[in-house]
């Protein structure tokens, strides 16, 4: 929890002073404050904090508009609302605007620090997951194929996938839940899926359904092993996989949605296998 | 999978859709479908894990998808299903599934959801994990969204 940089947004100098005092007494660095939308935009762009505490009612704006302005500058900045107003409707609106925690004024020192720590610990854990998951999934695909077919896979190309890509043949989607939700996609051509299935089954597949079944199970093994391996490294991930869904067709456009995913293109004796995987920050971290 | 497990997904629509600026929601006939079906347009899959596990697949035809994305983007005209429009639709599916999960929790069933995966294309065959799939068409201001649910214990 070192070097957490915070901006305090509140139109009342007294509140700014109280909240800043609590944070600084507990080792957090308050790098700025703002009391209206324009100041929020300016201070956030200038200081790029890790965390923002946000008042709900301010002259000419509100905490939700200011939260959206913060996230337009940087989606990864965490926002905790500290407001005298707190009812079901406003909390639900805050959740929809990607607020990570909500506290009611007058704020208690211990409550504020507990919520800040919970939000920032999740942030740290996400950073660790992000640094290790891609290699773990690549290893799981390589090991899975090796165990099932006694063949090797080498990764020719790896990249951060920020734009749409096209898949022809078969794409298996496996949803992942846990501390951070995510998904894994494996896509391959019909020809590659056919030979891979024949090798796994040690006979010609009877029909396309059997190929789809085999690819679903193959992807399930890869995702399951990768998630187990990540959970062994850190139990706090708590990752579990949803059953596979298989899409088949030509010219299927696959779009990454608002968060980065990573792609590795594996070259095997059966043909190319595309692995795409990504996790998203939990957005509703610390609700009191 | 029990037919009562469809209700939370309808609750999801009733909770999420009105605040987005849509005026009417109509529920079509509930169908029991085969585990594989074909769809065109936008297909969004969300994985679900908990006391039940499986997937929900939302299928929206291209024209309806453009109109729905436009409403979600505050009326901005959507001529083509670009990344921005698909992000809006992905977020819609995410919210629908999240609110379905909340409705399951009200039935004392804890279920968490994965991030959505978004596909676009014609005549895509979707094969779901469980042998039984419940399908229900929801009409949002007369624009159809097919909801396909496959959950098992």
């Amino acid at each position: 929890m070192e070097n957490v940089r915070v901006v305090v947004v509140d139109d009342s100098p007294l509140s700014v002073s109280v909240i800043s005092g609590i944070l600084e007494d507990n080792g957090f660095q308050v790098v700025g404050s703002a009391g209206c939308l324009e100041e929020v935009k300016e201070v956030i762009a200038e200081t790029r904090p890790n965390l923002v505490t946000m008042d709900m009612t301010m002259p000419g704006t509100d905490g939700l508009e200011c939260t959206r302005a913060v996230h337009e500058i940087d989606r990864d900045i965490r926002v905790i609302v500290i407001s005298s107003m707190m009812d079901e409707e406003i909390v639900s609106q805050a959740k929809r605007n990607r607020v990570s925690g909500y506290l009611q004024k007058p704020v208690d020192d211990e409550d504020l620090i507990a919520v800040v720590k919970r939000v920032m610990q999740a942030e740290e854990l996400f950073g660790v997951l992000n640094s290790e998951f891609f290699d773990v999934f690549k290893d799981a695909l390589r090991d899975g194929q090796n165990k099932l077919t006694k063949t090797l896979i080498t990764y020719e190309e790896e990249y951060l996938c920020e734009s749409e890509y096209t898949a022809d043949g078969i794409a298996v989607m496996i949803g992942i839940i846990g501390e951070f939700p995510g998904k894994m996609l494996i896509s391959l051509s019909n020809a590659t899926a056919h030979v891979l299935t024949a090798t796994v089954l040690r006979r010609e597949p009877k029909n396309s359904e059997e190929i789809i079944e085999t690819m679903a199970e193959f992807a399930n093994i890869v995702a399951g092993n990768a998630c187990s391996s990540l959970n062994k490294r850190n139990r706090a991930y708590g990752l579990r996989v949803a059953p596979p869904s298989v899409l088949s067709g030509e010219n299927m456009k696959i779009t990454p949605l608002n968060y980065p995913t990573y792609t590795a293109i594996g070259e095997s004796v059966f043909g190319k296998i595309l692995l795409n995987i990504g996790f998203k920050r939990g957005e509703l971290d610390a609700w009191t | 999978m029990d037919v009562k497990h469809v209700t939370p997904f309808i609750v999801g629509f009733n909770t999420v859709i009105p605040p987005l600026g849509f005026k009417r929601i109509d529920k079509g006939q509930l169908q029991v479908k085969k585990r594989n079906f074909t769809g065109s347009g936008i297909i969004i899959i969300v994985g679900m894990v908990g006391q039940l596990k499986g997937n929900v697949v939302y299928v929206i035809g291209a024209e309806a998808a453009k109109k729905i994305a436009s409403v979600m983007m505050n009326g901005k005209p959507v001529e083509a299903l670009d990344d921005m429009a698909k992000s809006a639709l992905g977020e819609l599916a995410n919210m629908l599934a999240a609110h379905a999960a909340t409705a399951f929790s009200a039935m004392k069933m804890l279920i968490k959801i994965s991030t959505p995966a978004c596909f676009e294309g014609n005549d895509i065959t979707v094969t779901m994990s469980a042998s039984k799939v419940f399908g229900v068409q929801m009409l949002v201001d007369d624009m159809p969204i097919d909801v396909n649910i496959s959950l098992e214990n």
Side-chain angles (χ1 to χ4, degrees), chain B residues 82-120:
Chain B
D82 55 11
D83 279 1
M84 185 80 89
K86 286 180 190 170
S87 278
L89 296 166
E91 188 49 32
L92 174 66
N94 186 47
M95 288 191 285
L96 289 170
H99 282 269
T102 306
F104 272 113
S105 72
M107 295 161 68
K108 309 280 178 225
M109 301 181 87
L110 290 180
I111 293 178
K112 289 177 101 173
I113 63 166
S114 76
T115 55
C118 177
F119 298 80
E120 183 194 1

Side-chain angles (χ1 to χ4, degrees), chain A residues 10-277:
Chain A
D10 204 303
D11 63 319
S12 144
L14 173 71
S15 290
V16 171
S17 167
V18 170
I19 296 165
S20 300
I22 299 171
L23 291 166
E24 284 172 345
D25 286 350
N26 286 276
F28 298 99
Q29 196 187 344
V30 177
V31 293
S33 66
C36 65
L37 183 61
E38 283 315 305
E39 284 178 14
V40 168
K41 289 179 183 171
E42 203 176 300
V43 173
I44 298 299
E46 204 173 288
T47 58
R48 294 288 178 134
N50 310 102
L51 181 79
V52 173
T53 71
M54 180 69 72
D55 188 14
M56 265 300 183
T57 45
M58 282 172 280
T61 184
D62 63 36
L64 301 176
E65 188 181 21
C66 290
T67 298
R68 289 194 293 272
V70 169
H71 287 145
E72 267 171 33
I73 296 167
D74 186 344
R75 269 186 76 83
D76 294 343
I77 296 173
R78 317 306 274 167
V79 176
I80 294 172
V81 168
I82 305 176
S83 169
S84 46
M85 280 165 49
M86 188 166 176
D87 59 52
E88 215 172 285
E89 176 57 26
I90 195 88
V91 169
S92 142
Q93 282 182 10
K95 284 184 183 182
R96 283 204 293 273
N97 282 279
R98 304 183 54 244
V99 165
S100 299
Y102 203 115
L103 287 156
Q104 193 164 20
K105 284 181 187 171
V107 68
D108 177 80
D109 297 27
E110 282 180 19
D111 288 348
L112 173 59
I113 297 307
V115 169
V116 168
K117 282 190 174 168
R118 241 184 295 164
V119 169
M120 295 319 296
Q121 269 162 4
E123 189 67 13
E124 275 182 10
L125 185 63
F126 185 73
V128 179
L129 175 65
N130 238 342
S131 68
E132 61 186 6
F133 78 78
F134 191 38
D135 284 339
V136 171
F137 273 83
K138 284 189 302 180
D139 288 350
L141 174 60
R142 186 166 41 215
D143 293 349
Q145 182 179 303
N146 186 252
K147 277 182 190 146
L148 290 167
T149 67
K150 309 287 177 223
T151 63
L152 294 172
I153 196 167
T154 51
Y155 292 106
E156 283 195 330
E157 217 183 316
E158 294 172 17
Y159 53 91
L160 174 66
C161 177
E162 287 178 301
S163 53
E164 186 171 275
Y165 63 97
T166 302
D168 283 313
I170 287 177
V172 188
M173 141 79 178
I174 297 202
I176 303 168
I177 65 105
E179 184 64 21
F180 307 103
K183 64 171 186 282
M184 182 195 84
L185 287 160
I186 283 183
S187 48
L188 63 185
S189 71
N190 285 325
T192 302
H194 186 113
V195 195
L196 178 54
T197 302
T199 310
V200 171
L201 299 178
R202 299 177 190 186
R203 60 167 171 77
E204 269 299 296
K206 288 179 199 149
N207 47 37
S208 58
E209 280 78 24
E210 197 168 51
I211 296 175
I212 285 171
E213 290 297 331
T214 310
M215 290 305 98
E217 187 50 29
F218 177 58
N220 196 33
I221 290 169
V222 172
N225 287 351
C227 288
S228 297
S229 175
L230 285 165
N231 289 340
K232 271 182 206 153
R233 291 177 184 214
N234 194 333
R235 284 176 57 188
Y237 293 143
L239 302 175
R240 292 167 69 193
V241 295
S245 297
V246 185
L247 287 92
S248 41
E250 297 308 312
N251 203 19
M252 297 184 285
K253 292 179 193 161
I254 305 175
T255 312
L257 295 168
N258 285 342
Y259 68 99
T261 61
Y262 293 85
T263 293
I265 298 179
E267 185 68 53
S268 72
V269 290
F270 313 111
K272 287 189 194 314
I273 300 177
L274 184 146
L275 171 72
N276 174 263
I277 169 87

